[in-house]
Amino acid sequence: MKSIKVHDKIFKPYIEEKELQKIVKKVALEIYEDYKDKTPVFIGVLNGVFMFFADLLKYYPGDCEVAFLQMSSYSGTQSTGVVYKKMDLTKEVKNRHIILMEDIVDTGNTIASLFEYFQNTQRPKSVKVASLLIKPEVYNKEFKIDYVGIEIPDKFVLGYGLDYDELGRNLKDLYQLDEGRINH
Ligand code: 5GP
């Protein structure tokens, strides 16, 4: 794998597709262990989650349903700290067991806002959170991310659904910004 240029920045190879798939399968089976006798609703937080979401469901051996909504807090390679709900939830989840699916948890602002939104307005029976990636050095919230694929350092990543100003989402592998983090 080679380094790539996206917009004005260079990204170096970080986690290859084969390794990502192993991680995703592990998370799918971990979730299944807890939901074997239930029909959970997997909720994809768009846009970044679409690859993780699709791959995880292919490895999920049980009954399940899906729904989506869209949140945004990022501009370029920096979090704005303000989280917007850009799109309404596509399904009623009252009294359902839901699993919120994120591509990456950084500060935790997005997932904290979502958690509050679901608890206050949707009345699900239970809520758990799954994220492919988490940056423990930046994550500053109390509540537990129930299922984590892999912990990564505090550096901007790209590919496998994650973008840099809308480019790079279609890359099969994960890349990391070459010059490290830019002021958050
Ligand atoms: P948080 O609200 O936890 O700070 O950030 C969550 C959202 O920020 C993610 O859903 C993702 O869209 C974006 N984000 C956070 N870190 C990164 C990163 O390293 N790369 C990319 N492409 N997006 C990120």
Side-chain angles (χ1 to χ4, degrees):
M1 273 170 74
K2 287 193 202 135
S3 290
I4 52 166
K5 188 168 186 221
V6 177
H7 291 301
D8 55 334
K9 300 199 190 306
I10 306 291
F11 291 85
K12 58 187 177 194
Y14 184 45
I15 305 176
E16 279 194 49
E17 182 188 12
K18 225 170 137 187
E19 185 58 30
L20 282 172
Q21 291 297 322
K22 275 192 210 157
I23 295 169
V24 175
K25 185 173 180 184
K26 177 203 79 173
V27 178
L29 298 180
E30 228 178 281
I31 296 176
Y32 178 61
E33 275 308 303
D34 294 344
Y35 289 87
K36 270 182 184 151
D37 55 343
K38 301 185 176 76
T39 304
V41 185
F42 286 94
I43 299 183
V45 184
L46 297 171
N47 288 321
V49 83
F50 75 95
M51 282 214 189
F52 174 47
F53 193 91
D55 283 344
L56 185 135
L57 288 193
K58 287 185 241 170
Y59 292 121
Y60 190 81
D63 289 340
C64 62
E65 295 179 22
V66 304
F68 297 93
L69 91 170
Q70 189 176 16
M71 306 289 283
S72 183
S73 75
Y74 250 65
S75 163
T77 59
Q78 298 185 39
S79 174
T80 59
V82 184
V83 181
Y84 307 91
K85 185 161 73 68
K86 283 182 143 182
M87 183 188 107
D88 284 336
L89 184 66
T90 56
K91 181 196 279 284
E92 165 93 25
V93 293
K94 193 169 172 207
N95 287 326
R96 303 296 305 270
H97 295 287
I98 64 172
I99 301 159
L100 301 178
M101 298 269 297
E102 265 275 25
D103 44 352
I104 185 163
V105 173
D106 188 347
T107 60
N109 287 336
T110 307
I111 208 71
S113 305
L114 271 173
F115 205 81
E116 212 179 285
Y117 161 75
F118 277 99
Q119 294 290 24
N120 295 344
T121 68
Q122 300 294 314
R123 313 265 161 191
K125 193 173 266 177
S126 71
V127 186
K128 283 198 181 180
V129 178
S131 182
L132 174 64
L133 308 164
I134 187 167
K135 295 177 180 168
E137 292 159 39
V138 203
Y139 182 62
N140 62 16
K141 300 287 180 287
E142 289 293 307
F143 71 81
K144 187 173 156 246
I145 308 298
D146 303 280
Y147 308 98
V148 173
I150 185 168
E151 297 188 349
I152 62 168
D154 182 16
K155 290 187 178 161
F156 191 82
V157 290
L158 172 86
Y160 197 64
L162 290 128
D163 73 315
Y164 167 42
D165 269 348
E166 292 307 326
L167 292 184
R169 293 193 194 275
N170 56 326
L171 297 163
K172 293 194 290 281
D173 312 283
L174 200 68
Y175 291 78
Q176 190 182 63
L177 185 62
D178 220 354
E179 64 261 55
R181 193 176 184 86
I182 308 172
N183 301 321
H184 241 226

